[in-house]
Amino acid sequence: MMIWARRQRALADYTLAALSRRKGKNIALVAIFSLVVFALSSAMFFAAALRHETTQVLRNAPEIVVQKLIMGRQDLIPGDVVDTIAGFRGVTSAKGRLWGYYYDRIDGANYTVMVPDDPALIPAVGHVAVGEGVPRARGLAWEGAPLFLSRYEGDLKRFDVDRTFTRDSALMTADLVLMNPQDFRAFFDIPEGLYTDVVATVRNQNEVATIVTKASNALPQMRFVTRADIERTYQKLFDWREGLLVVLAGAGLLAFAIFAAEKASGLSAEEAREIGILKAVGWDTRDVIAMKMWEGGLVSLGAFLIGTVAGFAHVFLFDGALFAPVLRGWAVIYPDFALTPHIDGVQLMTLGLLTVVPYMAATVVPVWRTASGDPDAVMR
Amino acid sequence: MITLNAVTKLYNEGRPNEFAALHEIDLTLARGAMSVLRGPSGSGKTTLLSILACMARPTSGRVSIDGEIVSGLPERFLTELRRTTFGFVFQRFNLVRGLTALENVMLPTVPLGADYGQTRDRAMARLEALGLADKAAMPIEHLSGGEAQRTAIARALINDPPILIADEPTANLDTALAEKFLAILAEERAAGRTVILTSHDPRIWEAEGVDRIVTLRDGRIVEGATGEGAITEGAV
Ligand SMILES: Nc1ncnc2c1ncn2[C@@H]1O[C@H](COP(=O)(O)OP(=O)(O)OP(=O)(O)O)[C@@H](O)[C@H]1O
Ligand SMILES: [Mg+2]
């Protein structure tokens, strides 16, 4: 055991010397490898995070959302409609909501302003609770900094920030401003008794379609959006983007395959000669292979590590900046959002297996073929 | 005792460019002796050494070491033999480029899992004995031909092999260094090591301590096959 460990150490030492001796070539190798892993892992992290966001969004989505449409635009809904909806058979509850988007001229960001459904979350008058994206966008780093929002009339309104949400799902919380209903109505000039939309819960999921059909007949001005509709919308959005990512990932894998195949195609005369020499001075075929495994392992694991860490940073710290050109469509719905760090362990392992293993194989197979010959024949 | 029985070596066997480098060689070399193979260029000296030292397999015939037939052994055992039995100084040195002289000398010790510090000291001592102490840290490609050759000699001796084989060891050495090298060989032989050399160099044929001269031509032994060929029998 001691001898085995010492031998591995000696082989690893030799490997390090060998790697540093072909520094330029090996740096280039690690760079290409890392780049491929970077592209693949960025795509993977992004896709996984999107899927994670979807689940979050859907989990929080109400079963039915009712909007009032006039000339194709949303309009405020009077309180008696809420009561009507609550009265439909199969509907267990209906609630008027107050929410909307607020364009912040100061930092050019869009906030989602809403009165929370959960009474426990409703801030006191003159107070707000905000997602962490808001103070970030405003540059309000310090504790207890008040938030000034300008009304459409142009005057500034001061709010005290009660608390800041940390990330759970970035889509849900980052750009959120929670307000007291009284402040909300005053701020956006919405008279008492009117709501922006209505959410309804049903007794039985399977009845949603029937309820919606009936309700649409009774309230032809209203549009009923079910969770399934929301899911479809998101799915479309995500599918399209994931599709792009799959293409990107495919291209990355292809590049990697070419790269590995090139390596597997054979050793350079210099490398073959070195193997011949090692065998001639008493190295076993296994020693040579072990040495090359160290070499391949150090290169591929190192590159894998660099690539995934860079991919992680790219997606979660720099918001997938390099994907921005293809993914800009997001801004229409959720401007300026950051993905919640989310790692799919299985995917990460798959990526590792898809890159490290073929690379090791591509390294070792030609070495094994060369090393099992007579040293004399290999050396000459 | 190293014995070759009817050893034939064909290169590119079965192809149009097939070439017989050795024909039915019968040869026995004694342990503890210093033997020299000589012959014109292309006569098969290097090929014969490679087969002796288990670096290449004969196309037909048998090689045995101390009565044990080794020519048919699987690769694994041949590695073991190469590691424990032979130190080989190659005609073209076969040093690994990019490594230092010291690292090259230490190469044969890597798979032994020996203690690094001790091995290093041993390698340094070998280099020092050959006057290369100040070149130890130099990459091999910066060494002169003679320095590279001495590095190769140091490498061949690092594991203390019972049989030292050197292919044209003095080709790149000037008279002084060649003499020094011959003195080292004589010492090694006196210490009981078997030494097998090839050489074009009359200085070697005439050197003190040479027990045996075998002359090859066109892949055949033309003189000294049975060992009766003494130095006194003269040149080819
Ligand atoms: N791998 C090979 N393939 C084909 N022919 C070979 C090969 N190796 C050696 N030969 C041929 O076999 C013959 C003997 O070669 P070898 O190297 O044994 O000669 P040598 O006696 O050592 O010559 P020198 O004194 O020039 O070193 C030469 O004609 C050489 O061209
Ligand atoms: Mg030769």
Side-chain angles (χ1 to χ4, degrees):
Chain A
M1 195 60 205
M2 265 302 284
I3 295 238
W4 183 86
R6 271 219 297 264
R7 188 172 178 157
Q8 291 303 316
R9 231 214 82 184
L11 288 171
D13 279 350
Y14 180 84
T15 306
L16 284 177
L19 284 175
S20 68
R21 156 163 70 100
R22 288 189 279 265
K23 210 174 281 162
K25 187 188 152 220
N26 283 306
I27 289 175
L29 209 66
V30 171
I32 295 174
F33 199 146
S34 313
L35 208 67
V36 171
V37 173
F38 169 74
L40 289 173
S41 67
S42 290
M44 197 190 78
F45 285 135
F46 208 95
L50 283 188
R51 221 168 298 120
H52 181 70
E53 298 286 346
T54 326
T55 358
Q56 290 294 313
V57 168
L58 289 178
R59 197 169 61 207
N60 296 320
E63 282 159 330
I64 300 173
V65 175
V66 189
Q67 301 165 339
K68 181 175 178 184
L69 287 186
I70 292 180
M71 292 180 291
R73 288 162 196 273
Q74 275 199 52
D75 199 15
L76 297 171
I77 301 180
D80 53 344
V81 176
V82 181
D83 299 333
T84 313
I85 294 169
F88 286 135
R89 267 175 63 96
V91 173
T92 44
S93 79
K95 250 191 187 160
R97 287 201 302 186
L98 289 170
W99 71 284
Y101 296 121
Y102 170 80
Y103 174 72
D104 190 359
R105 268 179 301 161
I106 295 171
D107 54 24
N110 266 304
Y111 304 148
T112 305
V113 183
M114 68 191 299
V115 176
D117 294 339
D118 182 355
L121 290 177
I122 297 177
V125 175
H127 292 249
V128 288
V130 295
E132 54 139 22
V134 176
R136 195 179 41 186
R138 273 296 183 90
L140 299 174
W142 42 288
E143 189 72 28
L147 181 68
F148 286 96
L149 299 178
S150 70
R151 300 206 319 145
Y152 293 122
E153 277 71 29
D155 52 331
L156 281 177
K157 170 103 179 75
R158 177 198 159 115
F159 293 99
D160 289 311
V161 177
D162 279 352
R163 73 189 181 95
T164 305
F165 310 117
T166 44
R167 291 176 159 198
D168 169 22
S169 166
L171 281 180
M172 294 311 294
T173 57
D175 67 344
L176 201 60
V177 177
L178 295 186
M179 259 184 206
N180 182 283
Q182 195 182 319
D183 284 332
F184 190 95
R185 289 183 188 281
F187 190 77
F188 290 109
D189 238 345
I190 296 176
E192 201 58 50
L194 290 180
Y195 297 94
T196 52
D197 62 9
V198 180
V199 292
T201 52
V202 296
R203 194 168 38 226
N204 181 348
Q205 287 287 326
N206 301 329
E207 289 176 13
V208 169
T210 333
I211 294 168
V212 166
T213 314
K214 274 197 206 151
S216 303
N217 289 336
L219 299 166
Q221 272 185 312
M222 301 292 162
R223 178 167 77 167
F224 294 80
V225 183
T226 63
R227 192 188 288 176
D229 296 331
I230 299 174
E231 193 172 339
R232 260 197 300 282
T233 311
Y234 273 98
Q235 219 56 58
K236 244 187 247 159
L237 211 62
F238 289 152
D239 281 353
W240 180 71
R241 286 177 173 84
E242 275 201 48
L244 271 175
L245 295 176
V246 166
V247 170
L248 192 83
L253 273 179
L254 187 71
F256 183 77
I258 293 168
F259 173 61
E262 200 277 320
K263 233 188 125 56
S265 66
L267 302 173
S268 67
E270 173 97 11
E271 281 174 302
R273 189 164 165 272
E274 183 178 331
I275 290 173
I277 294 171
L278 294 177
K279 290 219 54 190
V281 301
W283 287 43
D284 202 0
T285 308
R286 271 174 312 176
D287 298 326
V288 175
I289 289 175
M291 185 268 283
K292 286 290 174 181
M293 294 267 273
W294 274 103
E295 192 177 313
L298 285 174
V299 166
S300 59
L301 285 177
F304 181 72
L305 218 65
I306 295 173
T308 41
V309 168
F312 185 88
H314 169 222
V315 170
F316 298 117
L317 298 182
F318 298 100
D319 303 334
L322 297 178
F323 294 155
V326 262
L327 298 171
R328 193 163 287 144
W330 273 106
V332 176
I333 300 183
Y334 286 106
D336 206 22
F337 85 103
L339 286 167
T340 313
H342 174 79
I343 294 181
D344 186 331
V346 176
Q347 268 191 356
L348 204 61
M349 286 229 322
T350 310
L351 184 63
L353 288 178
L354 281 178
T355 51
V356 172
V357 172
Y359 182 82
M360 294 283 276
T363 310
V364 167
V365 169
V367 167
W368 172 73
R369 255 190 279 147
T370 303
S372 30
D374 286 336
D376 187 63
V378 182
M379 245 175 343
R380 286 224 198 175
Chain B
M1 223 150 61
I2 306 167
T3 309
L4 306 189
N5 283 104
V7 165
T8 294
K9 179 67 178 179
L10 300 178
Y11 285 116
N12 306 316
E13 194 184 356
R15 273 178 274 168
N17 58 346
E18 182 179 282
F19 180 83
L22 295 175
H23 299 272
E24 308 263 325
I25 298 280
D26 289 306
L27 179 67
T28 298
L29 298 172
R31 282 286 199 140
M34 190 188 307
S35 313
V36 179
L37 300 176
R38 66 178 176 184
S41 180
S43 57
K45 301 181 297 292
T46 299
T47 305
L48 187 56
L49 287 188
S50 297
I51 289 174
L52 271 179
C54 305
M55 303 274 175
R57 289 163 195 270
T59 309
S60 66
R62 279 204 314 256
V63 181
S64 43
I65 296 173
D66 299 332
E68 201 181 321
I69 297 173
V70 296
S71 42
L73 292 179
E75 180 60 24
R76 204 148 39 96
F77 294 96
L78 295 184
T79 303
E80 188 67 23
L81 268 175
R82 287 196 284 269
R83 180 183 299 166
T84 56
T85 314
F86 299 101
F88 205 122
V89 183
F90 300 93
Q91 188 166 10
R92 267 168 284 179
F93 316 145
N94 288 336
L95 298 165
V96 177
R97 293 168 63 82
L99 295 183
T100 64
L102 184 69
E103 285 165 339
N104 264 285
V105 173
M106 291 174 68
L107 274 187
T109 67
V110 170
L112 301 179
D115 178 78
Y116 180 83
Q118 282 173 16
T119 315
R120 207 191 117 88
D121 294 345
R122 254 194 304 139
M124 263 325 273
R126 287 287 179 197
L127 284 171
E128 257 166 49
L130 291 162
L132 284 175
D134 54 335
K135 308 285 180 189
M138 220 186 244
I140 217 70
E141 54 269 30
H142 294 171
L143 298 185
S144 72
E147 288 162 349
Q149 190 150 36
R150 281 177 283 156
T151 306
I153 292 165
R155 185 178 69 185
L157 290 171
I158 187 75
N159 277 343
D160 253 325
I163 303 174
L164 175 65
I165 293 181
D167 198 358
E168 299 289 348
T170 56
N172 292 280
L173 303 184
D174 62 25
T175 311
L177 280 172
E179 251 147 40
K180 199 162 170 209
F181 175 66
L182 285 170
I184 292 172
L185 287 187
E187 245 171 66
E188 296 292 340
R189 180 189 155 261
R193 222 188 285 277
T194 308
V195 180
I196 304 170
L197 309 171
T198 70
S199 188
H200 287 110
D201 187 350
R203 285 175 302 186
I204 286 212
W205 311 340
E206 287 150 19
E208 216 175 306
V210 173
D211 301 294
R212 170 95 184 271
I213 293 183
V214 177
T215 309
L216 279 175
R217 191 173 295 148
D218 296 333
R220 293 191 168 84
I221 296 181
V222 294
E223 202 182 342
T226 50
E228 87 290 348
I231 312 123
T232 47
E233 278 187 13
V236 188

